[in-house]
Amino acid sequence: MRLDPSEREQLTDLFARPAPGRRAPAGPQRVRPGLHLMLQTLDHVPAFVLGRRSDVLASNRLARTVLTGFDALPAPRRNLAPYSSGAFAVAVAVGTGA
């Protein structure tokens, strides 16, 4: 890599940091009622709420129509990773008018 001195210093600092300690397992994630209401209101664009590991925690009707019926999938398969291809990006861009 061709790094200038400040970039090299930053890279060195990143690798010099000690690894974080083990954390207690996080509990299940839940979507607040206000976010569910917001998803219902956003009926003109596909919208969903993602968890900390790209799990789809909630989605609106249009997102389920464009991508898949996340609610019908078993919890371990409700993840956005399989949809992170170029086709998904186009569907989102078309759906949002971007």
Side-chain angles (χ1 to χ4, degrees):
M1 289 191 272
R2 297 179 185 183
L3 304 175
D4 66 31
S6 65
E7 292 169 331
R8 190 180 330 274
E9 181 181 350
Q10 182 178 3
L11 188 61
T12 303
D13 288 346
L14 285 173
F15 285 110
R17 293 182 185 156
R22 296 193 111 194
R23 290 190 250 174
Q29 294 179 282
R30 304 231 188 303
V31 178
R32 295 183 199 162
L35 280 176
H36 278 289
L37 181 60
M38 185 170 68
L39 285 175
Q40 292 171 4
T41 304
L42 293 170
D43 59 357
H44 59 288
V45 294
F48 40 83
V49 177
L50 296 179
R52 60 176 88 68
R53 293 195 173 131
S54 297
D55 293 323
V56 177
L57 303 177
S59 59
N60 68 0
R61 182 191 53 78
L62 192 52
R64 291 187 299 271
T65 301
V66 171
L67 297 175
T68 189
F70 293 108
D71 298 339
L73 295 173
R77 293 201 47 223
R78 294 180 198 159
N79 192 283
L80 199 63
Y83 303 95
S84 60
S85 67
F88 171 70
V90 169
V92 170
V94 169
T96 61

